[in-house]
Amino acid sequence: MANVTDAVRNRALGARGFGLGAGALLLAFALSAGLTCAPSAVQAAPAAAESGDAALKQAVTDYNIGRYKQALRAALPLAEAGSADAQILVGRIYENGLGVLQDPVTGSEWYARAAQAGSARAMVLLAYNYKLGFGTPKDGVQAFNWMQKAADLGDAEGQFALAMMFNEGRIVEKNDVLAFAWAEKAALQGHAEAQRFVGACYAHGAGVSRDDAKSREWYAKAEGQGLSPQGTVVAVPKK
């Protein structure tokens, strides 16, 4: 059965954008089209808002088809103007060296700007970088704090990653109850790996009373999203 620590490492890499499919990224940034602001602001500068949305959509399209320099050119002014979605996109480009020299430090700086402005997605990306020491000093406290903030804001990825921190017991003291609780929050939002983990918790009685029926139920939900119906709650001992 898969080791939880390996799963967390793989999620960290995926969250940074490595191997991210075009559809997944487009979905992540398409949410920007649903953002709203105060009516007065909309009325004051509708043309500017529409122009910004169009530029961001174009930047995302360019990114998804591999036109990274064009994506950066379109996104950078928006990022500098404070668009969190644009800041994350610019961060991904620099972090992964897409059309530019790879610069994870600059990438993390853009994530930090978006995170400080309240973007839960940026908080998760920044937390992963602090956890791995990629583009930032390796700092477990910062990693935990930013992941906690994202989880508190309801980000499913942040909730599951926080659950894994409690499951591992490396950055924070191991706590099976909190690991289950945060994983369940993510699972209820449809997070496939969290669903499998919750299934494993019920199967092994980790952080919750053992319940084979609920275990099968959650494994089935994860399987419905393409994950094998098996899991483990065993973490690698601290080093």
Side-chain angles (χ1 to χ4, degrees):
M1 291 186 287
N3 183 281
V4 167
T5 303
D6 291 337
V8 172
R9 185 181 298 109
N10 290 337
R11 290 209 64 77
L13 294 175
R16 294 212 308 267
F18 296 107
L20 185 64
L25 184 67
L26 183 58
L27 175 62
F29 283 97
L31 296 175
S32 63
L35 295 177
T36 59
C37 53
S40 59
V42 173
Q43 295 168 2
E50 292 174 4
S51 176
D53 287 344
L56 180 58
K57 289 178 181 178
Q58 184 59 54
V60 172
T61 298
D62 286 335
Y63 184 102
N64 287 334
I65 63 177
R67 295 170 38 142
Y68 302 119
K69 290 183 179 180
Q70 291 90 332
L72 180 60
R73 189 158 52 243
L76 191 55
L78 301 175
E80 291 173 339
S83 167
D85 289 326
Q87 289 168 345
I88 292 171
L89 182 54
V90 170
R92 287 184 183 277
I93 289 172
Y94 277 108
E95 183 181 63
N96 296 309
L98 302 173
V100 297
L101 290 176
Q102 187 175 26
D103 187 348
V105 173
T106 296
S108 292
E109 289 172 351
W110 280 110
Y111 293 156
R113 288 177 66 167
Q116 289 162 2
S119 168
R121 171 50 38 190
M123 292 174 189
V124 171
L125 294 168
L126 185 61
Y128 276 132
N129 281 2
Y130 272 118
K131 185 174 188 292
L132 299 172
F134 187 77
T136 67
K138 191 170 184 178
D139 190 326
V141 173
Q142 288 276 24
F144 176 81
N145 287 343
W146 282 113
M147 203 68 81
Q148 178 79 67
K149 289 177 184 291
D152 287 339
L153 287 173
D155 184 273
E157 176 71 22
Q159 291 169 342
F160 180 62
L162 190 66
M164 294 300 94
M165 289 181 179
F166 282 116
N167 178 72
E168 288 180 323
R170 292 185 177 184
I171 292 177
V172 293
E173 184 177 353
K174 182 175 174 61
N175 188 317
D176 290 340
V177 173
L178 287 177
F180 171 80
W182 282 110
E184 185 182 39
K185 289 179 183 292
L188 289 170
Q189 293 196 64
H191 192 289
E193 290 184 64
Q195 291 173 341
R196 181 167 63 180
F197 182 80
V198 168
C201 287
Y202 276 118
H204 298 283
V208 66
S209 298
R210 180 169 177 169
D211 189 321
D212 291 339
K214 287 185 178 179
S215 175
R216 289 191 297 270
E217 176 185 342
W218 282 108
Y219 278 152
K221 289 179 184 291
E223 186 177 17
Q225 297 198 63
L227 295 185
S228 60
Q230 58 183 335
T232 179
V233 294
V234 179
V236 176
K238 296 180 182 179
K239 293 183 179 180

